[in-house]
Structure formats: C-alpha cells, structure tokens
C-alpha cells in the first residue's frame, strides 16, 4: 500500500519515494504527495523525476487495489520496481483545488440544507443541496462566504474511531455531512466554529487563503434540488 503523506500535510509539494509496482499506464509508489480522485476532488497531476533526471508526466491519480496509482501515458517507458523517484505535484493546480475545496466547507455552513453531491475544480466548483422549501439567495450566500474568508478562520483535521463517534451522538448532530459507518478511522475536518464533517481531501490552513469568491449561479436541478456554483472573484 501507499503511505498517504497529503493526509497529514496538504502543503507538501514533493517527496522521494520507491516504485513498488509499474504497469502500462500507471506507477504505484510506497509513499506519495499525490491526492487520488475522491470526495469530489480531482486527482493530482505532476511528474515523477527518475534517477537520470528525466521526467515522467503524471496525468491523473486514482486509488487502486495495490495503493495509489499515478497515471501516465500507456506508451512511455516505466521505472522498474525498486527505483527511487521524486514525486512532484503540479502545485498551482493542487493549490487551486485546496482553496476551492476549503470554500466548499464554508458553503456547507452558509446553506443550511442537506448535501446530495458536489464537484471541485480549479476554476469552478459546485454543491447540490436538497433545499426543500428553503429559498437560496445568490447575493446573500456570496456575502456570507466572503465574510468567512475575511475572518481568516483556521482549518484543522483530527482522526476519530467509529466507536468514539457512536459514543458522541452530539458530535454527529453538529456535522453537515454524516460520517460513513462500519469503517475504522474517520478523518474529521473542522473550520473553527463554522463547519465540521468527515472529509479526506486537501484543504488550506486558514480561510483567508481561499481569497474572494462568488456564487456564479444557482441552478434548478429538480423540485427540491439546487446546484450552487462557486468561482474565484
Ligand atoms: Zn474537505
């Protein structure tokens, strides 16, 4: 399996690692800073720097049975198992994902409705809400998001077991998204005083790093569902 360095420190841009498996189109490392597609956040891109200094372009990252798979062109030569490489992120793209992803937590707090889906992107992101009778206002949500950004609130994570969660029903009640059951450890993300939910993604350290944002549009996705689209302002 692959050690997931990004879970503890989302600001790591590169790491040294050893190839534990390689087959056409993918390389699996013993440790990585590359986030795999999941939780609405796209997998990372970047390069693997080989011992001769050449670079292998990584076009995506996904979870695989053997660990985290760094995806590459199927026709390129692959490093052999045991090769030491440097895994380096396309940091500009990842940092945009971190800012957007963190903003999605603020959006969960700004809209007091259940979440039915979402997708994060470097330029725009969206969350689908089951709004019921609740009416969403584009300007009001934009104002609230920017107020939370300006407060420069800290984000932090901690790990909790399913048993600890079961013993703390009040904690579960305060979460904007319900945690998965039956697993081992759950990673809780908190925006101080604003949002608490299970989340494995990568986030910025403080809401001020998100920068100014805006609700681009609110789409009608059925009787009860509304899609809120966010862009950087
Ligand atoms: Zn998150």
């Amino acid at each position: 399996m692959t050690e997931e360095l990004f879970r503890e420190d989302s600001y790591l841009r590169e790491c040294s690692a050893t190839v534990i498996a390689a087959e056409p189109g993918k390389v699996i490392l013993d440790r990585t800073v590359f986030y795999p597609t999941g939780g609405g956040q796209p997998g990372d891109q970047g390069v693997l720097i080989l011992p001769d200094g050449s670079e292998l372009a990584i076009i995506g990252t996904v979870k695989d049975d053997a660990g985290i798979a760094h995806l590459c062109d199927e026709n390129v030569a692959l490093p052999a198992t045991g090769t030491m490489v440097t895994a380096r992120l396309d940091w500009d793209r990842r940092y945009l994902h971190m800012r957007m992803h963190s903003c999605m937590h603020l959006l969960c707090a700004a809209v007091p409705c259940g979440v039915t889906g979402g997708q994060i992107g470097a330029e725009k992101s969206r969350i689908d809400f089951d709004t019921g009778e609740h009416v969403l206002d584009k300007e009001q949500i934009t104002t609230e998001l920017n107020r939370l950004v300006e407060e420069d609130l800290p984000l932090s994570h901690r790990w909790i077991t399913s048993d600890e969660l079961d013993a703390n029903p009040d904690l579960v009640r305060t979460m904007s998204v319900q945690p998965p059951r039956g697993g081992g450890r759950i990673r809780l993300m908190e925006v101080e005083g604003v949002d608490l939910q299970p989340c494995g993604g990568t986030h910025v350290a403080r809401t001020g790093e998100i920068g100014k944002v805006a609700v681009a549009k609110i789409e009608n996705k059925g009787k009860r569902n509304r899609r809120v689209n966010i862009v950087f302002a």
Side-chain angles (χ1 to χ4, degrees), residues 101 105 189 199 203:
H101 188 138
H105 286 262
M189 272 308 305
C199 184
H203 310 82

Side-chain angles (χ1 to χ4, degrees), residues 39 41 101-102 104-105 120 187 189 197-203:
Q41 184 177 332
H101 188 138
S102 304
M104 295 302 98
H105 286 262
I120 291 155
R187 186 174 185 262
M189 272 308 305
Q197 60 176 283
C199 184
T202 60
H203 310 82

Side-chain angles (χ1 to χ4, degrees), residues 138-150:
K138 190 174 142 176
E139 300 307 323
Q140 184 259 323
I141 297 170
T142 295
T143 302
E144 176 63 4
L145 292 176
N146 287 314
R147 184 184 72 77
L148 295 169
V149 166
E150 279 167 27

